[in-house]
Amino acid sequence: MNFLLNLFNIPSSEYNDWEIRVTSGLSYVTWTILAILFIGALFCFWSGLSRIQSPRKKFLIFGLRVLTFIFISAILFQPELELKKTRELKNTVAVLLDNSKSMSIKTFPEEITRATILTKAFQANRQYFEDLKKKFRLEIYYSSNQLEPVSLNDAIRLYKPNGVGTDFKNVFKELKKRHDGRSLKGIVLFSDGGDLEEGFEEISPVMMEIVDSLEAPIYSLQTGSNESFKDLSVSRLDAPDFGFLYQPIKVEAVIDAFAVGNKNIPVTLKEGNKILISKNLEIKEGQTRYRVQLEFIPNTLGVNVYKISVPLISGESIISNNTKEFRIKTVKDRMRILHLTGRPGWDSRFLREVLINNPKVDLLSFFILRSLSDDVAASTSELSLIPFPSNLLFSDYLASFDLVIFQNFKFEPFIEKKFLENIRAYVHNGGAFLMIGGELSFQGGGYEKTPVEKVLPLKIHDRMELFSEAEFNAQIGEQYWRHPILRLEKNEKQNQVAWNSLPKLNGLNAGLKAVPGAQVLIHDGSSKTTGSSPVFSILKFGKGKSMAMATDSSWNWNFLKIGEGGSGRYYQTFWNNVVAWVAGGPETQSLLIETDRERYAEKEKVLMKIKTLGEDFNPFKKADIEIVIRSISKKIEILRKRLTTDENGEANFEFLPKSEGFFSAEVKWKKESETLNSETRFGVFSNSAEFEKPKINNILLETFAKISGGGYRVLKENSDLKDIVFSASKVREKTGSATFGLWDNWFSFGLIVGLLALDWLLRRRSGLS
Amino acid sequence: MTLTSAIIPSKAWAIGESSKFRIPQILYEGGNPKPRPDAIISLLAQLAKRTSVNVKRQEINLKISDPSLFRYPLIYLAGDSGFKPFPKKEIKILRNYLNFGGFLFIDDNSAKTNSEFNKSVKNLISELFPRSPIRKIRRDHSIFRSFYLINRVAGRAEIQPYLEGISIKGRTVLVYSSNDLGGAWSRNKLGYWNYDMVGGGRTQRDLSIRLGVNITLYALTLDYKKDMVHLPIILERLRRYNSP
């Protein structure tokens, strides 16, 4: 080495190693051709020396030629000298401490958790790891679905079995990536082997491949045992996301039972503290999995939280999996609409088509097909007409309808006047009523000074002015463009274009005026001085809603529009919006709170958006609202805060739940004389999948050891790990280098020329040319 | 007990002329589009007399290409001889009209089997709905119970004992009668019937008028008679009506 350093005049401290490398880029084919040429040339040359008698001289000349060819070949190889600075590296040993949730499971008969076994055994072998650290680069990781480096000193102090489920494939892949190109001499794995993706029978080929690729022995230290493992759990639940009010909902629970013995247990479904249903389950020894179907009928609308539980058994390994909570959104199955039409006409025909085609509507229609003076020229048995069930509809069953429509309908003689009071009370108590125009509506229907008139958004102020025949364009009240009933298109500008594109209406019930509190969403735009006539108006009456459409020509928006080359889409949207407004969907609320999702993982922020809208559904700025967050699971109030909405009537709120479970967020807004509130519910879920397969997977741990050439043992608190040893073969790492060409210099070329000259001289002396 | 049919006191509130029910007759090229010129006015008169429908007895004649076509969701096409195929533009308009809410009643007034009018109608229908062949209308169709309970398909001449039709998405949009219903309805201003019935008398005419009323009321009310609340009573009456 020193000779080389002196040769190249380099200080001896700079490099401590050397290497000769061949840098020629010639291909094997070229080399083969050259070798054949050299051999051929030497053969010819040897033949040419036959005239030389002295064998000594003959071999000397031939030797010189061979030497020359060797040097030429050496030049063609383009050799280089590399002087290197290298340092010695320690081999790495990785220690993986499984910190997944399953490590919190108790092991028997000691009745200590797997995590306790791990920490105590690690502490007991602290000196072993200190010694290992001197010889090797010791890397310690917490291991669950990923690796988290930790120092030797902190490994036990910071250890908590709270990692997300075990995923050995990912962990080993990450380990390989971290040691790519570096020597990993071994892995010490503290784990219960609870990888959900791996079975208890055999290891998957993919896993085998990954373990093999590590090229390091794995020493599996099984923490805990399956001895006396006892557990009863609700391991899985199949429940729908939503159900219908008063319609049965089926839920299927999977119950797992390990070493529980023969016994009967109740499987209970609760809403809050109220038991909805309980079923007896017969647990038999030898069978571990059971399916239980539970059926219940929800009787409250909205998002409701339910709980399925099995009892705690003495000596259970896991107690947190005996209960499972879930949420179901309960909605009305369909809106029941009673549609009464005074006489058949196109307006009622087209409206009926929209309602019957709305999947959320259950429609009951009655058409008055015959008048008193009509002569049907047939007996009743030849007619399809049925008795009008006035008493049933307007006394017994009225409350079962969500919306009652009187379309061009004169109540007498079909409905006794006393039943009109029932309609008023029905709306006041939360029902909805819609009167649609025609000559038998409003004044023409005799509704003046009846309880129905009190409900309507329009008051009859001129009983003589009945009907206007003039054509008119529907005009939207300037402040109502954002009203959900008028939303034909989501985009406000497109919505205006849509309304302007609708055909004219003809035939308006006249002599009507909006009552205080009513909103005239559509008017006829007839007079700017005396005020336009209302076309479509709405009113909140008591807890209910009422509407009036003062024309029988809204079907123009459908069929005439088709005749103009358009479609009846806007007509259908308008009436479906009316139905949606009656149903009171989220888009019809003045106060709304929404979360960005319905389900969150632990430690995830919940983002809430609150909207405040005025009566006209324009943003209500600077509204003072109060938000209250409650834990439904724990039945406690967690947070109460006052907020103010911005210029757009919006407020955002972030909430970081500290525990899993179901939560409710309620906003309250004191708006003039009424207090509005809106509520949303969300769930925070920890990953509890680990408890679905809570048993130790010793087969997996044994296989890791077997295919990697390591070892396997069941860890005890006082286990001695000294016999786990790793080969400490040295690895050197290059930190610097310099290269020198050995062929592209005068010395090499001079040597070849000298050899050829000597060869020529000897040949001349021997009498050869 | 009150019948839905029972009592509307009067039609004193006869306001809103545009809301009144009318049936335009379709004009076309070739053939004879109005062999029964009083048919529609007579049917409207029967509707006014027998039902609560508020009619306007006004004769309206329209071509398919008329811009006011879509003001009338029920149209009447009749004839007694072959007619020229409708222009493509009119076929498109008529298809649109029927697909999106309109109703067409076609009446063969020729009183002949396999008439030239019948051939022209079948050609028209195959142009209109090439993928939906015209079919016999079943006896449990709402047309046979929309006002009267009908168990016999009549007409001035009973050429075929059934109606034919085309339905789209559960709605019958076209009904075709070969039995000259218009001839049975037609009455002059003095109240006399314009045409004698073929092979039948007063009953056959009355059944023809009943069928006309039912077809009209079907167009105006669709399948509402199939709503669950109506079904039990109607089925019971049909059972009694059909039993000897």
Side-chain angles (χ1 to χ4, degrees), chain A residues 343 349 352 364-365 368-370 372 374-377 382-385 388 413-414 439 466 469 506 552, chain B residues 2 4-5 7-8 13 17-19 49 51-52 54 70 101 145 147-149 210 219 224 229-230 237:
Chain A
R343 60 169 45 126
R349 179 356 252 280
R352 179 178 151 79
L364 179 60
S365 292
I368 306 300
L369 298 180
R370 207 185 135 183
L372 251 187
D374 290 334
D375 172 15
V376 293
E382 293 172 285
L383 298 169
S384 69
L385 312 183
F388 184 68
F414 308 104
E439 71 272 21
L466 299 173
E469 279 275 44
N506 54 293
D552 60 353
Chain B
T2 313
T4 49
S5 58
I7 326 157
I8 288 181
W13 302 107
E17 289 294 303
S18 56
S19 301
K49 182 184 158 198
T51 73
S52 63
N54 199 6
F70 283 81
R145 58 182 72 162
F147 191 84
Y148 293 103
L149 296 171
R210 288 184 186 187
Y224 105 98
V229 71
H230 299 270
R237 277 199 205 149

Side-chain angles (χ1 to χ4, degrees), chain A residues 25-317:
Chain A
L26 293 177
S27 66
Y28 288 112
V29 178
T30 315
W31 282 116
T32 310
I33 293 167
L34 283 173
I36 292 166
L37 285 173
F38 281 3
I39 292 165
L42 286 172
F43 179 75
C44 294
F45 183 63
W46 177 255
S47 305
L49 297 178
S50 57
R51 279 186 287 160
I52 298 173
Q53 296 301 314
S54 163
R56 201 174 152 188
K57 200 178 264 181
K58 198 172 169 177
F59 279 107
L60 181 63
I61 294 169
F62 186 72
L64 279 171
R65 184 60 63 92
V66 170
L67 207 58
T68 306
F69 277 19
I70 287 170
F71 276 111
I72 290 170
S73 300
I75 284 172
L76 288 172
F77 274 115
Q78 298 177 2
E80 267 184 4
L81 171 68
E82 184 185 17
L83 296 175
K84 296 191 284 190
K85 175 99 177 170
T86 59
R87 65 171 185 175
E88 201 175 286
L89 277 184
K90 280 182 183 175
N91 292 315
T92 306
V93 169
V95 179
L96 310 186
L97 306 176
D98 186 343
N99 69 337
S100 64
K101 286 186 177 169
S102 63
M103 293 297 283
S104 62
I105 296 172
K106 277 183 186 173
T107 197
F108 291 85
E110 299 91 337
E111 272 210 60
I112 52 169
T113 64
R114 295 168 188 177
T116 309
I117 296 172
L118 182 149
T119 50
K120 287 194 172 172
F122 192 91
Q123 287 288 38
N125 289 280
R126 175 67 189 249
Q127 192 53 49
Y128 165 76
F129 289 110
E130 292 285 0
D131 293 344
L132 213 56
K133 196 178 173 185
K134 286 175 192 162
K135 292 181 200 163
F136 297 91
R137 185 187 160 97
L138 188 67
E139 292 179 359
I140 302 173
Y141 300 97
Y142 292 144
S143 153
S144 55
N145 63 334
Q146 58 184 15
L147 290 176
E148 189 188 336
V150 63
S151 69
L152 178 58
N153 289 334
D154 291 337
I156 295 307
R157 190 173 63 83
L158 301 178
Y159 180 86
K160 275 183 187 166
N162 59 1
V164 185
T166 309
D167 184 349
F168 282 125
K169 285 193 198 89
N170 195 46
V171 161
F172 289 154
K173 273 184 195 167
E174 204 179 319
L175 198 61
K176 182 168 171 53
K177 204 173 162 188
R178 281 170 183 263
H179 294 88
D180 203 22
R182 292 195 289 138
S183 168
L184 178 64
K185 278 294 160 191
I187 300 161
V188 183
L189 172 64
F190 291 78
S191 175
D192 58 3
D195 188 322
L196 291 176
E197 289 192 20
E198 294 297 321
F200 288 89
E201 306 292 318
E202 56 183 14
I203 186 169
S204 69
V206 181
M207 179 70 94
M208 282 175 90
E209 206 175 290
I210 293 169
V211 170
D212 206 37
S213 71
L214 285 169
E215 294 177 359
I218 299 173
Y219 291 88
S220 306
L221 306 176
Q222 179 186 306
T223 48
S225 73
N226 288 329
E227 200 182 323
S228 310
F229 179 83
K230 190 191 268 190
D231 189 43
L232 184 63
S233 66
V234 182
S235 62
R236 226 179 58 218
L237 207 59
D238 286 327
D241 288 337
F242 72 96
F244 297 114
L245 192 67
Y246 304 127
Q247 299 289 330
I249 291 177
K250 272 185 190 169
V251 175
E252 187 179 87
V254 176
I255 311 292
D256 280 343
F258 296 107
V260 173
N262 290 322
K263 59 176 69 180
N264 290 322
I265 58 152
V267 180
T268 313
L269 172 65
K270 283 184 181 177
E271 183 182 5
N273 285 330
K274 187 180 161 193
I275 296 176
L276 298 178
I277 187 169
S278 183
K279 246 186 186 177
N280 196 46
L281 177 66
E282 191 184 349
I283 304 280
K284 294 171 192 164
E285 234 174 83
Q287 186 182 341
T288 55
R289 181 151 282 201
Y290 303 83
R291 292 180 189 278
V292 182
Q293 279 202 347
L294 300 161
E295 194 175 281
F296 68 101
I297 296 174
N299 54 13
T300 41
L301 285 170
V303 178
N304 299 310
V305 177
Y306 303 93
K307 188 162 68 179
I308 282 191
S309 55
V310 289
L312 283 171
I313 306 289
S314 167
E316 261 196 87
S317 297

Side-chain angles (χ1 to χ4, degrees), chain B residues 65-123:
Chain B
S65 54
D66 192 303
S68 64
L69 179 76
F70 283 81
R71 289 195 176 276
Y72 310 101
L74 166 58
I75 50 177
Y76 177 66
L77 188 149
D80 59 4
S81 52
F83 55 86
K84 282 186 184 173
F86 281 29
K88 282 227 160 67
K89 190 184 163 195
E90 290 192 0
I91 291 284
K92 197 178 166 189
I93 293 170
L94 188 55
R95 190 185 294 129
N96 228 18
Y97 174 92
L98 297 175
N99 273 332
F100 296 104
F103 183 90
L104 170 64
F105 175 53
I106 304 176
D107 191 15
D108 185 350
N109 304 131
S110 68
K112 288 177 193 164
T113 314
N114 294 324
S115 67
E116 288 303 309
F117 179 79
N118 177 61
K119 285 176 193 164
S120 297
V121 165
K122 295 287 164 73
N123 286 340

Side-chain angles (χ1 to χ4, degrees), chain A residues 388-406:
Chain A
F388 184 68
S390 171
N391 285 357
L392 279 177
L393 290 176
F394 291 98
S395 56
D396 299 354
Y397 294 127
L398 188 58
S400 71
F401 293 105
D402 298 291
L403 171 64
V404 174
I405 303 174
F406 280 11

